[in-house]
Amino acid sequence: MTLKMTAGELQAFMEREFPQVAEDFAIDRLAPMEIDLRLKVAERHLRPGGTVSGPSMFSLADCAIYLATLAMIGPQGLAVTTNGSIDFMRKPASGQDIVAKCRLLKLGRVLAVGDVLMFSAGMEQPVARASMTYSIPPR
Amino acid sequence: MTLKMTAGELQAFMEREFPQVAEDFAIDRLAPMEIDLRLKVAERHLRPGGTVSGPSMFSLADCAIYLATLAMIGPQGLAVTTNGSIDFMRKPASGQDIVAKCRLLKLGRVLAVGDVLMFSAGMEQPVARASMTYSIPPR
Amino acid sequence: MTLKMTAGELQAFMEREFPQVAEDFAIDRLAPMEIDLRLKVAERHLRPGGTVSGPSMFSLADCAIYLATLAMIGPQGLAVTTNGSIDFMRKPASGQDIVAKCRLLKLGRVLAVGDVLMFSAGMEQPVARASMTYSIPPR
Amino acid sequence: MTLKMTAGELQAFMEREFPQVAEDFAIDRLAPMEIDLRLKVAERHLRPGGTVSGPSMFSLADCAIYLATLAMIGPQGLAVTTNGSIDFMRKPASGQDIVAKCRLLKLGRVLAVGDVLMFSAGMEQPVARASMTYSIPPR
């Protein structure tokens, strides 16, 4: 399986289609069926005490699996999340970016499934784990 | 089981502790082990096409179960989400508020579990379903 | 929406297609988009201490949502579970049957989603909660 | 972190405490925070067509995370599953054993979280993915 989009093309797609959130994320690494996506933590992602909020981590996981899927199928059609599960395991380090290490486990004709481990920059243990299913529209 | 906080006290608690998100939500109804929480949809919750984003619905479900728990145990200590699962089932109606109908299924000594159905104002069928587990700190 | 199969037709379908598990289950009630399915607890479902095992409750939830779906679409094709989440909340009562109260939340062209509360006979509080997604093959 | 139990001790514990299911499973590999557990597929695990049933895979994942936890904390007390999510991604190969490759992502004072990829012997792509949370009783 080979990539149909480069990291730059994914970033441009995000800026064009999802301007509300595109500036939240940076692609650190892209490979077939894999992506490392970074949440550039800002004030709006924080909870009191300076830790990153749960919904911000959900958003990071969702976006990582979405981009990993698009990178494989190209920018065609509208994939939508049908299901997600997330475990919050540790308190994120205060004020640090969060990196999602994502792999696609399945890329089928109608469903894609990916999972993600999320890490605070500078922590060895994951702060959260998530998996999501995307429904891929007929091409 | 009886409520330890009123809707007004919950709203005030949210404004004090979570000023970043307090204005996103309104408590429509509160009863023992139950809450109806409304996401006051604004530009920042939307995806292209005007539908509410998945992470915004995750945030609504998370907040509903958190507030239902606090209403029963009081504003003491820091409950944290340990786990959540969510199913996105229908496209939310464009530009409408989303109402979460939440019930606590378990309120134990260390864990609380709740589930939620979410509806677009004016739609009869749920747009999403979620369940979350909260870890309750020792009192 | 109307039922395409009766409780008796569902039971007969199960005995023909899933003889390994058909005797585990009894349909207590069937309505459009709803089913009450009972796990007839036997030695093989138990853990030490006499409580029903987690996988037995997963199996009950899975079967309930499957049968609720078949009742609506008819015995055509092979629906398969693509995803499930389950919360175990209380210890089941020793040696009692478990009843799953299931509702279909979505019955789409390609995906069905249902959720379930499970109760020990004689307990008012649910022992477990589950939700599952089924992929429906093209008809 | 070091192991408190060997593979042989885990197997003996399972045979003593869970005689109903102990013969279903074999420990292929054990390391700190990791286990490879094999479901020795028999008639009772199958669905029509010879594929392994979903509940059997749920049971395998549940058992793998349980044993990985016990190996780290010792055979003391009664850990119970509080939550699980599972994605079924591919049809298992007919009549082949299923191997669960499990890692503990968190081993806290009160909660352990693990995830699992499951493979049919002779297939490179995972047939299923699961994650589970265990509640660990006070020691």
Side-chain angles (χ1 to χ4, degrees):
Chain A
M1 304 211 218
T2 55
L3 289 168
K4 289 203 175 147
M5 296 177 77
T6 64
E9 286 165 351
L10 277 180
Q11 193 86 44
F13 175 87
M14 219 173 12
E15 282 158 19
R16 200 170 56 241
E17 301 287 329
F18 301 100
Q20 301 98 324
V21 296
E23 62 177 14
D24 284 355
F25 302 112
I27 299 170
D28 280 359
R29 194 180 69 90
L30 180 67
M33 306 289 276
E34 290 180 13
I35 196 170
D36 291 356
L37 189 68
R38 189 153 44 86
L39 177 67
K40 298 186 284 182
V41 170
E43 184 61 26
R44 66 186 169 283
H45 306 119
L46 300 182
R47 283 284 182 271
T51 60
V52 175
S53 75
S56 296
M57 286 190 271
F58 182 89
S59 177
L60 171 63
D62 191 28
C63 189
I65 297 170
Y66 179 65
L67 293 178
T69 302
L70 279 201
M72 298 305 293
I73 67 174
Q76 56 206 346
L78 273 169
V80 295
T81 315
T82 58
N83 174 269
S85 83
I86 189 162
D87 294 290
F88 300 104
M89 298 185 291
R90 292 175 185 85
K91 203 178 143 104
S94 177
Q96 298 290 324
D97 283 358
I98 307 271
V99 174
K101 294 182 169 290
C102 166
R103 56 186 174 178
L104 284 188
L105 298 172
K106 172 180 174 152
L107 180 60
R109 199 177 43 81
V110 296
L111 294 177
V113 179
D115 75 356
V116 166
L117 285 181
M118 286 169 267
F119 299 84
S120 274
M123 279 178 69
E124 213 172 300
Q125 308 271 37
V127 295
R129 183 214 66 77
S131 40
M132 308 258 169
T133 301
Y134 267 82
S135 171
I136 301 171
R139 276 160 273 180
Chain B
M1 305 210 218
T2 55
L3 289 167
K4 289 202 177 149
M5 296 177 77
T6 65
E9 286 166 349
L10 277 180
Q11 194 86 42
F13 174 87
M14 221 174 9
E15 282 158 19
R16 200 170 55 240
E17 302 287 328
F18 300 100
Q20 301 97 325
V21 296
E23 63 178 14
D24 283 356
F25 302 113
I27 299 170
D28 280 0
R29 194 179 70 89
L30 180 67
M33 306 289 276
E34 290 181 14
I35 196 169
D36 290 357
L37 189 69
R38 189 155 43 87
L39 177 67
K40 297 186 286 182
V41 169
E43 184 62 25
R44 66 187 170 283
H45 306 119
L46 300 182
R47 282 284 182 271
T51 61
V52 175
S53 75
S56 296
M57 286 190 270
F58 182 88
S59 178
L60 171 62
D62 191 29
C63 189
I65 297 170
Y66 178 65
L67 292 178
T69 303
L70 278 201
M72 298 304 293
I73 66 173
Q76 56 205 347
L78 273 170
V80 296
T81 315
T82 59
N83 174 270
S85 83
I86 189 161
D87 294 290
F88 299 104
M89 299 185 291
R90 292 174 185 86
K91 203 177 143 105
S94 177
Q96 298 291 323
D97 283 357
I98 307 270
V99 174
K101 293 182 170 293
C102 167
R103 56 185 175 179
L104 284 189
L105 298 172
K106 172 180 175 153
L107 181 59
R109 199 176 44 80
V110 296
L111 294 178
V113 179
D115 75 356
V116 166
L117 284 182
M118 285 168 269
F119 298 83
S120 274
M123 279 178 70
E124 213 172 301
Q125 308 270 38
V127 295
R129 183 214 67 76
S131 39
M132 307 258 169
T133 300
Y134 267 81
S135 171
I136 302 173
R139 276 160 273 182
Chain C
M1 303 208 220
T2 55
L3 289 167
K4 289 202 176 149
M5 296 177 77
T6 65
E9 286 166 349
L10 277 180
Q11 194 85 44
F13 175 87
M14 217 171 15
E15 282 159 18
R16 200 170 56 241
E17 301 288 328
F18 301 99
Q20 301 98 324
V21 296
E23 63 178 15
D24 283 355
F25 301 113
I27 298 170
D28 280 359
R29 193 180 70 90
L30 181 67
M33 305 290 276
E34 290 180 14
I35 196 170
D36 290 357
L37 189 69
R38 189 153 44 86
L39 177 67
K40 297 187 286 182
V41 169
E43 184 62 26
R44 67 187 168 283
H45 306 119
L46 300 183
R47 283 285 182 270
T51 60
V52 174
S53 76
S56 295
M57 286 189 270
F58 182 88
S59 178
L60 171 63
D62 191 29
C63 189
I65 297 170
Y66 178 66
L67 293 178
T69 302
L70 280 201
M72 298 304 294
I73 66 173
Q76 56 205 345
L78 273 170
V80 295
T81 314
T82 58
N83 174 268
S85 83
I86 189 162
D87 293 290
F88 300 104
M89 299 184 291
R90 292 174 184 86
K91 204 178 142 105
S94 178
Q96 297 290 324
D97 282 358
I98 306 270
V99 174
K101 293 182 170 291
C102 167
R103 56 186 174 178
L104 285 189
L105 298 172
K106 171 180 175 155
L107 180 59
R109 199 177 45 81
V110 296
L111 293 177
V113 180
D115 76 357
V116 166
L117 283 182
M118 286 169 267
F119 298 84
S120 274
M123 279 178 70
E124 212 172 302
Q125 307 270 39
V127 296
R129 183 215 66 77
S131 39
M132 308 257 169
T133 300
Y134 267 82
S135 171
I136 302 172
R139 275 161 272 181
Chain D
M1 302 209 218
T2 55
L3 290 167
K4 289 202 176 148
M5 296 177 77
T6 65
E9 287 165 348
L10 277 180
Q11 194 86 42
F13 174 87
M14 220 173 11
E15 282 159 18
R16 200 170 58 240
E17 302 288 328
F18 301 99
Q20 301 98 324
V21 296
E23 63 178 13
D24 283 355
F25 301 113
I27 299 171
D28 280 1
R29 193 180 70 90
L30 180 67
M33 306 289 277
E34 290 181 14
I35 195 169
D36 291 357
L37 189 69
R38 190 154 42 86
L39 177 67
K40 297 186 285 182
V41 169
E43 183 63 25
R44 66 187 169 283
H45 306 120
L46 299 183
R47 284 285 182 269
T51 61
V52 175
S53 75
S56 296
M57 286 190 270
F58 182 89
S59 177
L60 170 63
D62 191 29
C63 188
I65 297 170
Y66 179 66
L67 293 177
T69 302
L70 279 201
M72 298 303 294
I73 67 173
Q76 55 205 347
L78 274 170
V80 295
T81 315
T82 58
N83 173 270
S85 83
I86 189 162
D87 294 290
F88 300 104
M89 299 184 291
R90 292 175 184 85
K91 204 179 144 105
S94 178
Q96 297 292 324
D97 283 357
I98 306 271
V99 174
K101 294 182 170 290
C102 166
R103 57 186 174 177
L104 284 189
L105 297 172
K106 172 180 174 152
L107 180 59
R109 199 177 45 81
V110 296
L111 293 178
V113 180
D115 74 357
V116 166
L117 284 182
M118 286 170 268
F119 299 83
S120 274
M123 279 178 69
E124 212 173 303
Q125 308 270 38
V127 295
R129 183 214 67 77
S131 40
M132 308 257 171
T133 300
Y134 267 82
S135 171
I136 301 171
R139 275 161 271 181

